[in-house]
Amino acid sequence: MKSIGGFATMTASAASNQLGAAVGAHAFATIGPAGVVAVRQFVAAAVLLPMARPDLRRFTWAQWWPTIALGLVFATMNLSLYLAIDRIGLGLAVTLEVLGPLGVALAGSRTRQDFLFVLIAAAGVYVLVLPGPSSDYLGVGLGLLAAGCWAAYILLNRLVGARLPGLQAPAVATAMSATLYVPVAVLLVVQGKLTGVSILYAVGAGVFCSVVPYAVDVIALRKVPARLFGLAMSVHPVLAALAGLVVLGETLELHHWAGILLVVTANALAVTCSKWSGSPTVQPEM
């Protein structure tokens, strides 16, 4: 019963993440993906720093360097994902991004079973994109960059989790990422764009993508097994497609849904059947 409740909680967290991404996308036309990411990072830092209360004076270099790397990953992952969403839509972008944790789950595997999962995921990407003259390869590339960042996030978060207690590392990394986006915010303020509805959309993205998932995940991960957490992460593409449909009016063709289904299936099978036994980690900001 606890596992069912934990899975439901993680699914609700994932739904909040995708809803936030869809809400944030409404501000793209006014402040751009970089502007939305900037505001989101400010919101996340404002929430995480008081929660974690990191003592920076006590950080050693062994703690600093993966935290710095995590901050760069945050900055790159969020921007690449939002740029991908702007070009190819929420459902497609998130489906490509999910390949990151799938790659981590299958890394180093030599079994036929896991090789089959890779083939299913590859087939899913092909069906999803259907490469041709009209394909947005830049958008696809940005989605894959976000996937690589998610993989790096998982590996770095494991490392900093072993070297720093609680949410100290993610809090500092988020603050560092927010600092990198200060010039973007300043430019938008000078241009008079960081006002009105657009900033409300961006703040909403920060709340739904950062505040709610972090609060929920920190509690749920104490009870949810690693594989169940990974299974919950598998539903992200479906929830993203639904959020895109309901909030943004994005409609997907049949081959898009088929590709999403194949990628989701590959990820679900990988986390439930593979020999990977990594510990669960809080999902990154979407």
Side-chain angles (χ1 to χ4, degrees):
M1 187 63 67
K2 286 184 178 180
S3 294
I4 295 176
F7 182 79
T9 301
M10 296 305 304
T11 302
S13 176
S16 176
N17 230 319
Q18 302 311 327
L19 175 61
V23 169
H26 276 295
F28 286 174
T30 305
I31 62 177
V36 175
V37 173
V39 175
R40 282 201 44 237
Q41 296 292 66
F42 298 152
V43 172
V47 172
L48 286 176
L49 285 175
M51 287 176 56
R53 296 182 180 179
D55 188 353
L56 302 183
R57 295 170 298 178
R58 294 182 178 274
F59 276 35
T60 66
W61 176 241
Q63 296 169 328
W64 264 119
W65 77 259
T67 302
I68 294 172
L70 190 62
L72 294 175
V73 165
F74 275 157
T76 306
M77 176 173 60
N78 291 321
L79 181 59
S80 59
L81 177 63
Y82 274 52
L83 287 171
I85 291 172
D86 192 33
R87 297 186 67 92
I88 62 177
L90 182 59
L92 275 64
V94 172
T95 301
L96 293 172
E97 190 193 31
V98 167
L99 296 175
L102 174 61
V104 173
L106 299 177
S109 174
R110 297 293 185 272
T111 67
R112 293 181 179 179
Q113 173 183 268
D114 289 342
F115 182 66
L116 175 62
F117 301 156
V118 172
L119 290 180
I120 294 174
V125 172
Y126 181 83
V127 172
L128 185 71
V129 177
L130 285 184
S134 61
S135 298
D136 190 332
Y137 292 108
L138 178 57
V140 172
L142 288 165
L144 293 176
L145 175 59
C149 288
W150 194 348
Y153 165 88
I154 293 172
L155 299 176
L156 285 169
N157 210 39
R158 286 187 203 165
L159 183 60
V160 296
R163 298 182 180 182
L164 284 166
L167 292 173
Q168 290 192 43
V172 175
T174 300
M176 293 176 60
S177 177
T179 302
L180 294 176
Y181 282 97
V182 168
V184 175
V186 171
L187 179 61
L188 290 172
V189 170
V190 170
Q191 295 175 338
K193 294 181 178 181
L194 204 59
T195 57
V197 178
S198 62
I199 194 170
L200 291 179
Y201 280 135
V203 170
V207 171
F208 286 116
C209 292
S210 302
V211 178
V212 174
Y214 269 124
V216 172
D217 292 352
V218 168
I219 297 173
L221 288 177
R222 297 171 182 170
K223 304 177 182 179
V224 177
R227 292 185 186 279
L228 192 58
F229 177 86
L231 188 61
M233 293 302 94
S234 302
V235 304
H236 270 284
V238 176
L239 294 173
L242 292 175
L245 175 64
V246 174
V247 181
L248 300 175
E250 296 177 352
T251 56
L252 300 180
E253 298 180 16
L254 183 60
H255 73 91
H256 292 143
W257 285 109
I260 289 173
L261 179 60
L262 286 170
V263 172
V264 167
T265 300
N267 196 64
L269 289 173
V271 298
T272 55
C273 302
S274 72
K275 296 181 179 179
W276 179 64
S277 59
S279 59
T281 179
V282 176
Q283 58 186 295
E285 302 166 28
M286 294 287 180

